[in-house]
Amino acid sequence: MCGIVGLFLKDSRLEPQLGQLLSDMLITMTDRGPDSAGLAIYGSATEGKAKVTIQSAKPEIDFADLERDLAEAGVPARVAVKSTHAVVAIAAARLADVRAVLAAIRPDVRIMGAGDSVEIYKEVGLPKDVVARFDVRSMGGSHGIGHTRMATESAVTTLGAHPFSTGSDQCLVHNGSLSNHNNLRRELIREGIAFETQNDTEVAAAYLTAEMAKGKDLGQALTGALDDLDGFFTFVVGTKSGFGVVRDPIACKPAVMAETDRYVAFGSEYRALVNLPDIESARIWEPEPATVYFWDHQKAA
C-alpha cells in the first residue's frame, strides 16, 4: 500500500503555490506510506540551461567544493545544496558531460533526476519530514507528483523511494506491483538503459522513457504500457510539460481525480484533494481501468 498524488496547474497564477499544495496532499497520504517519500517539482526552465538533482549519504563531504571541482574538470556549474540533495545548474549542452564527471569525481553521489525543469527530492522518513527537509512548500512550478511508500518487495532506502526518473524531465510514481519487471529490465538493458535499483517501478519508468525515445508521446507510451506491463498498477507520470495517469485493466488500487478550469489533481484517496482551491466545484471522478488520461501545457506530451 502506497499513496500517490499529482497536481497539474492550468492557471499560472497558482504556480507560486504548487509546493504548498502538493506538500499538503502528500502529507495527507502518510498512513498509506510512512517509510519514505518523494516529490518531483516542474519549475520554470531557462533557455540553454539544465539542472541535475543529486543525492548523497555524506553531503558534508560530497558537496564540499563541488563547484570548484566541477570547474576544474571542465564543467562550470552552480550548486545549490538542500540537505542530502543538491541541484547542479549547468549549460544544457553539458548534461552528458556532468554525469560522467560526477561519476569520476564523486562516485558515491546518485542522480535523482535531470532535465530543463524538473527537480526530484526523496528520502527515507515521514512525508512531513521530507517536505520540511527540502523546503518543498516554498517551491513554485507548473506541475508535480509525489509518493509515500510502504515497502513490500525491497528495502527502505533513498534509492528505493519514488519518483523514479530514467529520462530527461521524465518521472513516475506507482502504487502496485509488476510481475514481469525482471524480463522487461533485461530487454531494456539490451536497449542501453541503465538501472540503479531492482525496484519494479524503475522498470516502468524506463519502459516509458524507451517508448518515448522511439517517437511516441506520453499518451501513446502509456497506452503501450497496458499491453506490455503485467500486474497491478496505478501510474502518475510527469514530463517537461505533461501529466499522465493510467490504471491497469483490473484497477484494484484506489484512485480519484479532480478537474477545474485551474488544475487537474490526482490522489490515492479523495482526502488528499480536499484542501485544493475550489474543490467543492470540481468535477470529481474515479479514473477508468485501462484508460489513459493526460494533459499537456504544449498540447503534446
Coordinates of all heavy atoms in Angstrom, one line a residue, residues 102-198:
L102 N 30.7 13.6 -12.7 CA 30.2 13.3 -11.3 C 30.6 11.9 -11.0 O 31.0 11.6 -9.8 CB 28.7 13.5 -11.2 CG 28.2 15.0 -11.0 CD1 26.7 15.0 -11.2 CD2 28.7 15.6 -9.7
A103 N 30.4 11.0 -11.9 CA 30.8 9.6 -11.7 C 32.3 9.4 -11.3 O 32.6 8.6 -10.5 CB 30.4 8.7 -12.9
A104 N 33.1 10.3 -11.9 CA 34.5 10.2 -11.7 C 35.0 10.9 -10.4 O 35.8 10.3 -9.7 CB 35.2 10.8 -12.9
I105 N 34.4 12.1 -10.1 CA 34.9 12.8 -9.0 C 34.1 12.7 -7.7 O 34.6 12.9 -6.6 CB 35.1 14.3 -9.3 CG1 33.7 15.0 -9.5 CG2 35.9 14.6 -10.6 CD1 33.7 16.5 -9.7
R106 N 32.9 12.2 -7.9 CA 32.0 11.9 -6.7 C 31.3 10.6 -6.9 O 30.1 10.6 -7.1 CB 31.0 13.1 -6.5 CG 31.6 14.4 -6.2 CD 32.2 14.5 -4.8 NE 32.5 15.8 -4.4 CZ 33.5 16.6 -4.7 NH1 34.4 16.0 -5.6 NH2 33.7 17.8 -4.3
P107 N 32.0 9.5 -6.9 CA 31.4 8.2 -7.2 C 30.2 7.8 -6.3 O 29.4 6.9 -6.7 CB 32.6 7.2 -7.1 CG 33.6 7.9 -6.2 CD 33.4 9.4 -6.5
D108 N 30.1 8.3 -5.1 CA 29.1 8.0 -4.2 C 27.8 8.8 -4.4 O 26.8 8.5 -3.7 CB 29.5 8.1 -2.7 CG 30.6 7.1 -2.4 OD1 30.7 6.0 -3.0 OD2 31.5 7.4 -1.5
V109 N 27.9 9.8 -5.2 CA 26.7 10.6 -5.5 C 25.8 9.9 -6.4 O 26.2 9.2 -7.4 CB 27.1 12.0 -6.1 CG1 26.0 12.7 -6.8 CG2 27.6 12.9 -4.9
R110 N 24.5 10.0 -6.2 CA 23.5 9.4 -7.1 C 22.6 10.5 -7.7 O 22.2 11.5 -7.1 CB 22.6 8.5 -6.3 CG 23.3 7.2 -5.8 CD 23.7 6.3 -6.9 NE 24.5 5.2 -6.5 CZ 25.8 5.1 -6.5 NH1 26.6 6.2 -6.9 NH2 26.5 4.1 -6.1
I111 N 22.3 10.3 -9.0 CA 21.5 11.3 -9.7 C 20.0 10.9 -9.5 O 19.6 9.8 -9.9 CB 21.9 11.4 -11.2 CG1 23.3 11.9 -11.3 CG2 20.9 12.2 -12.0 CD1 23.8 12.0 -12.8
M112 N 19.2 11.9 -9.0 CA 17.8 11.7 -8.8 C 17.0 12.0 -10.0 O 16.0 11.4 -10.3 CB 17.3 12.5 -7.6 CG 18.0 12.2 -6.3 SD 17.5 10.7 -5.5 CE 18.9 9.6 -6.0
G113 N 17.4 13.0 -10.8 CA 16.7 13.4 -12.0 C 17.5 14.5 -12.7 O 18.3 15.2 -12.1
A114 N 17.2 14.7 -13.9 CA 17.8 15.8 -14.7 C 16.9 16.2 -15.8 O 16.0 15.5 -16.3 CB 19.2 15.2 -15.3
G115 N 17.2 17.5 -16.3 CA 16.4 18.0 -17.4 C 16.4 19.5 -17.3 O 17.2 20.1 -16.6
D116 N 15.5 20.1 -18.1 CA 15.4 21.6 -18.1 C 14.7 22.1 -16.9 O 14.9 23.3 -16.5 CB 14.7 22.0 -19.4 CG 15.4 21.6 -20.7 OD1 16.7 21.4 -20.6 OD2 14.8 21.5 -21.7
S117 N 13.7 21.4 -16.4 CA 12.8 22.0 -15.4 C 12.6 21.1 -14.1 O 12.2 21.7 -13.1 CB 11.4 22.3 -16.0 OG 10.8 21.1 -16.5
V118 N 12.8 19.8 -14.2 CA 12.4 19.0 -13.0 C 13.5 19.0 -11.9 O 14.7 19.1 -12.2 CB 12.2 17.5 -13.5 CG1 13.5 16.8 -13.8 CG2 11.4 16.8 -12.4
E119 N 13.0 19.0 -10.7 CA 13.8 18.8 -9.5 C 13.2 17.7 -8.7 O 11.9 17.7 -8.5 CB 14.0 20.0 -8.6 CG 14.7 21.1 -9.3 CD 14.9 22.4 -8.5 OE1 14.7 22.2 -7.2 OE2 15.1 23.5 -9.0
I120 N 13.9 16.6 -8.3 CA 13.4 15.5 -7.6 C 14.1 15.4 -6.2 O 15.3 15.4 -6.1 CB 13.6 14.2 -8.4 CG1 12.8 14.3 -9.7 CG2 13.1 13.0 -7.6 CD1 13.0 13.1 -10.6
Y121 N 13.2 15.3 -5.2 CA 13.7 15.2 -3.8 C 13.0 13.9 -3.2 O 11.8 13.8 -3.2 CB 13.4 16.4 -3.0 CG 14.0 17.7 -3.6 CD1 13.2 18.5 -4.4 CD2 15.3 18.0 -3.2 CE1 13.8 19.6 -5.0 CE2 15.8 19.2 -3.8 CZ 15.1 20.0 -4.6 OH 15.7 21.1 -5.1
K122 N 13.8 13.0 -2.6 CA 13.2 11.9 -2.0 C 14.2 11.3 -0.9 O 15.4 11.4 -1.1 CB 12.9 10.8 -3.0 CG 14.0 10.3 -3.9 CD 13.5 9.3 -4.9 CE 14.6 8.6 -5.7 NZ 14.1 7.6 -6.7
E123 N 13.6 10.9 0.2 CA 14.4 10.4 1.3 C 13.5 9.4 2.1 O 12.3 9.4 2.1 CB 14.9 11.5 2.2 CG 16.2 12.1 1.8 CD 17.4 11.0 2.0 OE1 17.1 9.9 2.4 OE2 18.5 11.4 1.6
V124 N 14.2 8.6 3.0 CA 13.6 7.8 4.0 C 13.0 8.7 5.0 O 13.6 9.7 5.4 CB 14.6 6.8 4.6 CG1 14.1 6.1 5.8 CG2 15.1 5.9 3.5
G125 N 11.8 8.4 5.5 CA 11.2 9.2 6.6 C 9.8 9.5 6.3 O 9.3 9.3 5.2
L126 N 9.1 10.1 7.3 CA 7.7 10.5 7.1 C 7.6 11.7 6.1 O 8.5 12.5 6.0 CB 7.2 11.0 8.4 CG 7.0 10.0 9.5 CD1 6.7 10.6 10.8 CD2 5.9 9.0 9.1
P127 N 6.5 11.7 5.3 CA 6.3 12.8 4.3 C 6.5 14.2 4.9 O 7.1 15.0 4.3 CB 4.9 12.6 3.8 CG 4.7 11.1 4.0 CD 5.4 10.7 5.2
K128 N 6.0 14.4 6.1 CA 6.1 15.8 6.7 C 7.6 16.1 6.9 O 8.0 17.3 6.8 CB 5.4 15.9 8.0 CG 5.9 15.1 9.2 CD 5.1 15.3 10.4 CE 5.6 14.6 11.6 NZ 7.0 15.0 12.0
D129 N 8.4 15.2 7.2 CA 9.8 15.4 7.5 C 10.6 15.6 6.1 O 11.5 16.5 6.1 CB 10.5 14.3 8.3 CG 9.9 14.2 9.7 OD1 9.4 15.2 10.2 OD2 9.8 13.0 10.2
V130 N 10.2 14.9 5.1 CA 10.8 15.0 3.8 C 10.5 16.4 3.2 O 11.3 17.1 2.7 CB 10.4 13.9 2.9 CG1 10.9 14.1 1.5 CG2 10.9 12.6 3.4
V131 N 9.2 16.8 3.4 CA 8.8 18.1 2.9 C 9.5 19.2 3.6 O 10.0 20.2 2.9 CB 7.2 18.3 3.1 CG1 6.8 19.7 3.0 CG2 6.5 17.4 2.1
A132 N 9.7 19.1 4.9 CA 10.4 20.1 5.6 C 11.9 20.1 5.3 O 12.5 21.2 5.2 CB 10.2 19.9 7.1
R133 N 12.5 19.0 5.2 CA 13.9 18.9 4.9 C 14.3 19.6 3.7 O 15.4 20.3 3.6 CB 14.3 17.4 4.8 CG 15.7 17.2 4.3 CD 16.1 15.7 4.3 NE 16.5 15.2 5.6 CZ 17.0 14.0 5.8 NH1 17.2 13.2 4.8 NH2 17.3 13.7 7.0
F134 N 13.5 19.5 2.6 CA 13.8 20.1 1.3 C 13.1 21.4 1.1 O 13.1 21.9 -0.1 CB 13.6 19.1 0.2 CG 14.4 17.8 0.4 CD1 13.8 16.6 0.6 CD2 15.8 17.9 0.4 CE1 14.5 15.5 0.8 CE2 16.5 16.7 0.5 CZ 15.9 15.5 0.7
D135 N 12.4 21.9 2.1 CA 11.7 23.2 1.9 C 10.8 23.2 0.7 O 10.7 24.2 -0.1 CB 12.7 24.4 1.9 CG 12.0 25.7 2.1 OD1 10.9 25.8 2.7 OD2 12.6 26.7 1.6
V136 N 10.0 22.1 0.5 CA 9.2 22.0 -0.7 C 8.1 23.0 -0.7 O 7.7 23.5 -1.8 CB 8.6 20.5 -0.7 CG1 7.7 20.4 -1.9 CG2 9.7 19.5 -0.8
R137 N 7.6 23.4 0.4 CA 6.5 24.4 0.5 C 6.8 25.7 -0.2 O 5.9 26.4 -0.7 CB 6.0 24.6 1.9 CG 5.4 23.4 2.6 CD 4.9 23.8 4.0 NE 4.3 22.6 4.7 CZ 3.1 22.1 4.5 NH1 2.3 22.7 3.6 NH2 2.7 21.1 5.1
S138 N 8.1 26.0 -0.3 CA 8.5 27.3 -0.8 C 8.6 27.2 -2.4 O 8.8 28.3 -3.0 CB 9.8 27.8 -0.2 OG 10.9 27.0 -0.7
M139 N 8.5 26.1 -2.9 CA 8.8 25.9 -4.4 C 7.6 26.2 -5.2 O 6.5 25.8 -4.9 CB 9.3 24.5 -4.6 CG 10.6 24.1 -3.9 SD 11.2 22.5 -4.2 CE 11.7 22.6 -5.9
G140 N 7.8 26.8 -6.3 CA 6.8 27.0 -7.3 C 7.0 26.2 -8.5 O 8.1 25.6 -8.7
G141 N 6.0 26.1 -9.4 CA 6.1 25.4 -10.6 C 4.8 25.1 -11.3 O 3.7 25.6 -10.8
S142 N 4.8 24.5 -12.4 CA 3.6 24.2 -13.2 C 2.9 22.9 -12.9 O 1.7 22.8 -13.1 CB 4.0 24.3 -14.7 OG 4.9 23.3 -15.0
H143 N 3.6 21.9 -12.4 CA 3.0 20.7 -12.1 C 4.0 19.8 -11.2 O 5.2 20.2 -11.2 CB 2.6 19.9 -13.3 CG 3.6 19.6 -14.4 ND1 4.3 20.6 -15.0 CD2 4.1 18.4 -14.9 CE1 5.1 20.1 -15.9 NE2 5.1 18.8 -15.8
G144 N 3.5 18.8 -10.6 CA 4.4 18.0 -9.7 C 3.6 16.7 -9.4 O 2.4 16.6 -9.5
I145 N 4.4 15.7 -8.9 CA 3.9 14.5 -8.5 C 4.6 14.1 -7.2 O 5.7 14.5 -6.9 CB 4.0 13.3 -9.5 CG1 5.5 13.0 -9.9 CG2 3.3 13.7 -10.8 CD1 5.6 11.9 -10.9
G146 N 4.0 13.2 -6.4 CA 4.6 12.8 -5.1 C 4.1 11.4 -4.7 O 3.2 10.9 -5.3
H147 N 4.9 10.8 -3.8 CA 4.7 9.4 -3.4 C 5.0 9.2 -1.9 O 6.0 9.7 -1.5 CB 5.5 8.6 -4.3 CG 5.3 7.1 -4.1 ND1 6.0 6.3 -3.2 CD2 4.6 6.2 -4.8 CE1 5.7 5.1 -3.3 NE2 4.8 5.0 -4.2
T148 N 4.2 8.5 -1.2 CA 4.5 8.0 0.1 C 4.6 6.5 0.0 O 3.7 5.8 -0.5 CB 3.5 8.4 1.1 OG1 2.2 7.8 0.8 CG2 3.3 9.9 1.2
R149 N 5.7 5.9 0.5 CA 6.0 4.5 0.2 C 5.8 3.6 1.5 O 6.2 4.0 2.5 CB 7.4 4.3 -0.3 CG 7.7 2.8 -0.7 CD 9.1 2.7 -1.3 NE 9.3 1.3 -1.8 CZ 10.4 0.6 -1.5 NH1 11.4 1.2 -0.8 NH2 10.5 -0.6 -1.9
M150 N 5.1 2.5 1.3 CA 5.1 1.4 2.2 C 5.8 0.2 1.5 O 5.2 -0.4 0.7 CB 3.7 1.0 2.7 CG 3.7 -0.1 3.7 SD 2.0 -0.4 4.4 CE 1.7 1.0 5.3
A151 N 7.1 0.0 1.9 CA 7.9 -1.0 1.2 C 7.3 -2.4 1.4 O 7.0 -2.8 2.5 CB 9.3 -1.0 1.6
T152 N 7.2 -3.2 0.3 CA 6.7 -4.6 0.3 C 7.6 -5.5 -0.3 O 7.6 -6.7 0.0 CB 5.3 -4.7 -0.3 OG1 5.4 -4.2 -1.7 CG2 4.2 -3.9 0.4
E153 N 8.4 -5.1 -1.3 CA 9.2 -6.0 -2.0 C 10.7 -5.7 -2.0 O 11.5 -6.4 -2.6 CB 8.8 -6.1 -3.5 CG 7.3 -6.6 -3.6 CD 6.9 -6.8 -5.1 OE1 7.7 -6.5 -6.0 OE2 5.8 -7.2 -5.3
S154 N 11.1 -4.6 -1.5 CA 12.5 -4.2 -1.4 C 12.8 -3.4 -0.2 O 11.9 -2.9 0.5 CB 12.9 -3.5 -2.7 OG 12.1 -2.3 -2.9
A155 N 14.1 -3.1 0.1 CA 14.5 -2.4 1.3 C 14.0 -1.0 1.3 O 13.8 -0.4 0.2 CB 16.0 -2.5 1.4
V156 N 13.9 -0.4 2.5 CA 13.6 1.0 2.6 C 14.9 1.8 2.5 O 15.7 1.9 3.4 CB 12.9 1.3 4.0 CG1 12.6 2.8 4.2 CG2 11.7 0.5 4.1
T157 N 15.1 2.4 1.3 CA 16.3 3.2 1.1 C 15.9 4.4 0.3 O 14.8 4.5 -0.3 CB 17.3 2.4 0.2 OG1 16.7 2.1 -1.1 CG2 17.6 1.1 0.9
T158 N 16.8 5.4 0.2 CA 16.6 6.6 -0.6 C 16.4 6.2 -2.1 O 15.4 6.7 -2.7 CB 17.7 7.6 -0.5 OG1 17.9 7.9 0.9 CG2 17.5 8.8 -1.2
L159 N 17.2 5.3 -2.6 CA 17.1 5.0 -4.0 C 15.8 4.2 -4.3 O 15.3 4.2 -5.4 CB 18.3 4.1 -4.4 CG 19.6 4.9 -4.6 CD1 20.7 3.9 -5.0 CD2 19.5 6.0 -5.6
G160 N 15.3 3.5 -3.3 CA 14.0 2.8 -3.5 C 12.8 3.7 -3.4 O 11.7 3.2 -3.7
A161 N 13.0 4.9 -2.9 CA 11.8 5.8 -2.8 C 11.4 6.3 -4.2 O 12.3 6.3 -5.2 CB 12.2 7.0 -1.9
H162 N 10.2 6.7 -4.4 CA 9.7 7.3 -5.6 C 9.8 8.8 -5.5 O 9.7 9.4 -4.4 CB 8.3 6.9 -5.9 CG 8.0 5.4 -5.9 ND1 7.0 4.9 -6.6 CD2 8.6 4.4 -5.3 CE1 7.0 3.5 -6.5 NE2 8.0 3.2 -5.6
P163 N 9.7 9.6 -6.6 CA 9.6 9.2 -8.0 C 10.9 8.6 -8.6 O 12.0 8.8 -8.1 CB 9.3 10.5 -8.7 CG 9.0 11.5 -7.7 CD 9.7 11.1 -6.4
F164 N 10.7 7.8 -9.6 CA 11.9 7.3 -10.4 C 12.0 8.1 -11.7 O 10.9 8.3 -12.4 CB 11.7 5.8 -10.7 CG 12.0 4.9 -9.5 CD1 11.1 4.5 -8.6 CD2 13.3 4.5 -9.4 CE1 11.4 3.7 -7.5 CE2 13.7 3.7 -8.3 CZ 12.7 3.3 -7.4
S165 N 13.2 8.4 -12.0 CA 13.4 9.2 -13.3 C 14.5 8.5 -14.1 O 15.6 8.2 -13.6 CB 13.9 10.6 -13.0 OG 14.2 11.3 -14.1
T166 N 14.1 8.1 -15.4 CA 15.1 7.5 -16.2 C 15.3 8.2 -17.6 O 16.0 7.7 -18.4 CB 14.6 6.0 -16.5 OG1 13.3 6.1 -17.0 CG2 14.6 5.2 -15.3
G167 N 14.7 9.4 -17.7 CA 14.8 10.2 -18.9 C 14.8 11.6 -18.6 O 14.3 12.0 -17.5
S168 N 15.2 12.5 -19.4 CA 15.2 13.9 -19.2 C 13.8 14.5 -18.9 O 12.9 14.3 -19.8 CB 15.9 14.6 -20.4 OG 15.9 16.0 -20.2
D169 N 13.7 15.1 -17.8 CA 12.4 15.7 -17.4 C 11.2 14.7 -17.4 O 10.1 15.0 -17.5 CB 12.0 16.9 -18.3 CG 12.8 18.1 -18.0 OD1 12.9 18.5 -16.9 OD2 13.3 18.8 -19.0
Q170 N 11.6 13.4 -17.2 CA 10.5 12.4 -17.0 C 10.6 11.7 -15.7 O 11.7 11.5 -15.2 CB 10.7 11.3 -18.1 CG 10.6 11.8 -19.5 CD 10.9 10.7 -20.5 OE1 10.9 9.5 -20.2 NE2 11.3 11.0 -21.7
C171 N 9.5 11.4 -15.1 CA 9.5 10.7 -13.8 C 8.1 10.0 -13.6 O 7.1 10.4 -14.3 CB 9.9 11.6 -12.6 SG 8.7 12.9 -12.2
L172 N 8.1 9.1 -12.7 CA 6.9 8.3 -12.5 C 6.8 7.9 -11.0 O 7.8 7.6 -10.3 CB 7.0 7.0 -13.3 CG 5.9 5.9 -13.3 CD1 5.7 5.3 -14.6 CD2 6.3 4.9 -12.2
V173 N 5.6 7.8 -10.5 CA 5.2 7.3 -9.2 C 4.2 6.2 -9.4 O 3.4 6.2 -10.4 CB 4.7 8.3 -8.2 CG1 5.8 9.3 -7.8 CG2 3.5 9.0 -8.7
H174 N 4.2 5.2 -8.5 CA 3.5 3.9 -8.8 C 2.9 3.4 -7.5 O 3.6 3.4 -6.5 CB 4.5 3.0 -9.4 CG 4.1 1.5 -9.5 ND1 4.9 0.5 -9.4 CD2 2.8 1.0 -9.7 CE1 4.3 -0.7 -9.6 NE2 3.0 -0.4 -9.7
N175 N 1.7 2.9 -7.6 CA 1.1 2.1 -6.5 C 0.7 0.8 -7.1 O -0.1 0.7 -8.0 CB -0.1 2.8 -5.9 CG -0.8 2.0 -4.8 OD1 -0.1 1.2 -4.2 ND2 -2.0 2.3 -4.4
G176 N 1.3 -0.3 -6.6 CA 1.0 -1.6 -7.1 C 2.3 -2.5 -7.2 O 3.3 -2.2 -6.5
S177 N 2.2 -3.5 -8.1 CA 3.3 -4.4 -8.2 C 3.3 -5.0 -9.6 O 2.3 -5.5 -10.1 CB 3.2 -5.6 -7.2 OG 4.2 -6.5 -7.3
L178 N 4.4 -5.0 -10.3 CA 4.6 -5.6 -11.6 C 5.1 -7.0 -11.5 O 6.1 -7.2 -10.8 CB 5.5 -4.7 -12.5 CG 5.1 -3.2 -12.7 CD1 6.1 -2.5 -13.5 CD2 3.7 -3.1 -13.2
S179 N 4.6 -7.9 -12.3 CA 5.0 -9.3 -12.3 C 6.0 -9.6 -13.3 O 6.7 -10.6 -13.2 CB 3.8 -10.2 -12.4 OG 3.1 -9.9 -13.6
N180 N 6.2 -8.8 -14.3 CA 7.1 -9.1 -15.4 C 8.3 -8.1 -15.5 O 8.9 -8.0 -16.5 CB 6.4 -9.2 -16.8 CG 5.8 -7.8 -17.2 OD1 5.5 -7.0 -16.4 ND2 5.7 -7.6 -18.5
H181 N 8.6 -7.5 -14.4 CA 9.6 -6.4 -14.4 C 11.0 -7.0 -14.7 O 11.8 -6.3 -15.3 CB 9.6 -5.6 -13.1 CG 9.8 -6.3 -11.9 ND1 11.1 -6.4 -11.3 CD2 9.0 -7.0 -11.1 CE1 11.0 -7.1 -10.2 NE2 9.8 -7.5 -10.0
N182 N 11.3 -8.2 -14.2 CA 12.6 -8.8 -14.4 C 12.9 -9.0 -15.9 O 14.0 -8.7 -16.4 CB 12.8 -10.1 -13.6 CG 13.0 -9.8 -12.2 OD1 13.6 -8.8 -11.8 ND2 12.4 -10.7 -11.3
N183 N 11.9 -9.5 -16.6 CA 12.1 -9.7 -18.1 C 12.2 -8.4 -18.8 O 13.1 -8.3 -19.7 CB 10.9 -10.6 -18.6 CG 10.9 -12.0 -18.2 OD1 12.0 -12.5 -17.9 ND2 9.8 -12.7 -18.2
L184 N 11.4 -7.5 -18.4 CA 11.4 -6.2 -19.1 C 12.8 -5.5 -18.8 O 13.3 -4.8 -19.7 CB 10.3 -5.3 -18.6 CG 8.9 -5.4 -19.3 CD1 7.9 -4.6 -18.6 CD2 9.1 -5.0 -20.7
R185 N 13.3 -5.6 -17.6 CA 14.6 -5.0 -17.2 C 15.7 -5.5 -18.2 O 16.5 -4.8 -18.7 CB 14.9 -5.3 -15.8 CG 16.2 -4.6 -15.4 CD 16.6 -4.9 -13.9 NE 15.8 -4.2 -13.0 CZ 14.8 -4.7 -12.2 NH1 14.6 -6.0 -12.4 NH2 14.1 -4.0 -11.4
R186 N 15.7 -6.8 -18.4 CA 16.7 -7.4 -19.3 C 16.6 -6.9 -20.7 O 17.6 -6.6 -21.3 CB 16.6 -8.9 -19.2 CG 17.1 -9.6 -18.0 CD 17.2 -11.1 -18.1 NE 15.9 -11.7 -18.1 CZ 15.3 -12.1 -17.0 NH1 15.9 -12.0 -15.8 NH2 14.1 -12.7 -17.0
E187 N 15.3 -6.7 -21.2 CA 15.1 -6.2 -22.5 C 15.6 -4.7 -22.6 O 16.3 -4.4 -23.6 CB 13.7 -6.3 -22.9 CG 13.1 -7.7 -23.1 CD 11.7 -7.7 -23.4 OE1 11.1 -6.7 -23.7 OE2 11.1 -8.8 -23.3
L188 N 15.3 -4.0 -21.6 CA 15.7 -2.5 -21.6 C 17.2 -2.4 -21.5 O 17.8 -1.4 -22.0 CB 14.9 -1.8 -20.5 CG 13.4 -1.7 -20.8 CD1 12.7 -1.3 -19.5 CD2 13.1 -0.7 -21.9
I189 N 17.8 -3.2 -20.7 CA 19.3 -3.2 -20.6 C 19.9 -3.4 -21.9 O 20.9 -2.7 -22.3 CB 19.8 -4.2 -19.5 CG1 19.4 -3.7 -18.1 CG2 21.3 -4.4 -19.6 CD1 19.7 -4.7 -17.0
R190 N 19.4 -4.3 -22.7 CA 19.9 -4.6 -24.1 C 19.7 -3.4 -25.0 O 20.5 -3.2 -25.9 CB 19.2 -5.8 -24.7 CG 19.7 -7.2 -24.1 CD 19.2 -8.3 -24.9 NE 17.8 -8.5 -24.8 CZ 17.2 -9.3 -24.0 NH1 17.9 -10.0 -23.1 NH2 15.9 -9.5 -24.0
E191 N 18.7 -2.5 -24.6 CA 18.5 -1.3 -25.4 C 19.4 -0.2 -24.9 O 19.3 0.9 -25.5 CB 17.0 -0.9 -25.4 CG 16.1 -1.9 -26.1 CD 14.6 -1.5 -26.0 OE1 14.4 -0.3 -25.8 OE2 13.7 -2.3 -26.1
G192 N 20.2 -0.4 -23.9 CA 21.1 0.6 -23.4 C 20.7 1.4 -22.2 O 21.4 2.4 -21.8
I193 N 19.6 1.0 -21.5 CA 19.2 1.7 -20.4 C 19.8 1.1 -19.1 O 19.9 -0.1 -18.9 CB 17.6 1.7 -20.3 CG1 17.0 2.5 -21.4 CG2 17.1 2.2 -18.9 CD1 15.5 2.5 -21.4
A194 N 20.3 2.0 -18.3 CA 21.0 1.6 -17.0 C 20.0 1.7 -15.9 O 19.2 2.6 -15.8 CB 22.2 2.4 -16.8
F195 N 20.1 0.8 -14.9 CA 19.3 0.8 -13.7 C 20.1 1.0 -12.5 O 21.2 0.5 -12.3 CB 18.5 -0.5 -13.6 CG 17.4 -0.6 -14.7 CD1 17.7 -1.2 -16.0 CD2 16.1 -0.2 -14.5 CE1 16.8 -1.3 -16.9 CE2 15.2 -0.3 -15.5 CZ 15.5 -0.8 -16.7
E196 N 19.5 1.7 -11.5 CA 20.1 1.9 -10.2 C 19.7 1.0 -9.1 O 20.3 0.7 -8.2 CB 19.8 3.4 -9.7 CG 20.4 4.5 -10.6 CD 21.8 4.9 -10.1 OE1 22.3 4.2 -9.2 OE2 22.4 5.8 -10.6
T197 N 18.5 0.4 -9.3 CA 17.9 -0.5 -8.3 C 17.2 -1.7 -8.9 O 17.2 -1.8 -10.1 CB 16.7 0.3 -7.5 OG1 15.6 0.4 -8.4 CG2 17.2 1.7 -7.1
Q198 N 16.7 -2.6 -8.1 CA 15.9 -3.7 -8.5 C 14.4 -3.4 -8.4 O 13.6 -4.4 -8.5 CB 16.3 -4.9 -7.7 CG 17.7 -5.4 -7.9 CD 18.0 -5.8 -9.3 OE1 17.2 -6.6 -9.9 NE2 19.0 -5.3 -9.9

